[in-house]
Amino acid sequence: MDKIIDKLAWIFIKDGKLLAVRSKGKDLFYLPGGKREAGESDTEALIREIQEELSVDLSSESVKYMETFKAQADGKAEGVYVQLTCYFADYVGELSAAAEIEELRYIDGNDEAVCSVAALEVMHWLQSKGLVTGKSA
């Protein structure tokens, strides 16, 4: 039976590139966000996770559902999937890597080699909508 790791992800695009983050000690980039804590709404959890990871405040009234994706979880056994519920949102503050985040970077279709499987799924979808640039899948 498949196992699902349920996560929320913030989608922020600038100049045709998608904001991605890399955790300390990891090689691949993934989308900023994380898991809900007990009793949290998606919006509350996303705001908390992004504040912890990137030191900015998402504007709660700007949070807008984008799409949900499911992909094989990197570094996990076959049949362990990550489910990303993705949201667009505006933010206030200056983006800065914090907590477990070592690096943030804007990626596009030319950066596929450094992306997690789930980040690639999202990026390919965004490319199909003309929102992210670079070579297509």
Side-chain angles (χ1 to χ4, degrees):
M1 181 155 170
D2 292 343
K3 176 176 171 30
I4 302 288
I5 301 167
D6 189 24
K7 290 190 161 189
L8 303 168
W10 178 38
I11 305 302
F12 187 74
I13 300 166
K14 179 179 173 182
D15 301 327
K17 292 180 179 267
L18 176 63
L19 178 66
V21 296
R22 184 177 57 76
S23 291
K24 293 174 182 167
K26 303 285 184 178
D27 296 324
L28 298 176
F29 283 81
Y30 64 92
L31 301 177
K35 297 178 183 175
R36 293 169 205 84
E37 290 182 355
E40 277 185 322
S41 70
D42 283 11
T43 299
E44 291 166 337
L46 195 61
I47 289 171
R48 177 185 50 75
E49 285 285 347
I50 298 308
Q51 173 59 39
E52 289 172 4
E53 292 183 358
L54 296 171
S55 304
V56 296
D57 295 311
L58 297 184
S59 165
S60 61
E61 57 277 351
S62 74
V63 175
K64 182 179 172 217
Y65 174 75
M66 183 188 90
E67 189 66 55
T68 300
F69 301 87
K70 183 174 135 183
Q72 172 65 37
D74 292 294
K76 304 288 184 185
E78 189 67 34
V80 177
Y81 294 91
V82 63
Q83 177 175 290
L84 290 178
T85 305
C86 299
Y87 292 89
F88 292 112
D90 297 327
Y91 72 92
V92 176
E94 189 168 327
L95 291 167
S96 175
E100 75 273 13
I101 304 304
E102 185 165 349
E103 181 182 0
L104 57 98
R105 176 200 282 189
Y106 287 93
I107 61 171
D108 66 13
N110 298 307
D111 299 304
E112 291 188 1
V114 298
C115 294
S116 69
V117 174
L120 283 175
E121 289 282 324
V122 175
M123 186 164 57
H124 291 160
W125 187 87
L126 291 165
Q127 284 177 302
S128 77
K129 305 293 184 196
L131 298 171
V132 171
T133 60
K135 69 178 184 181
S136 58

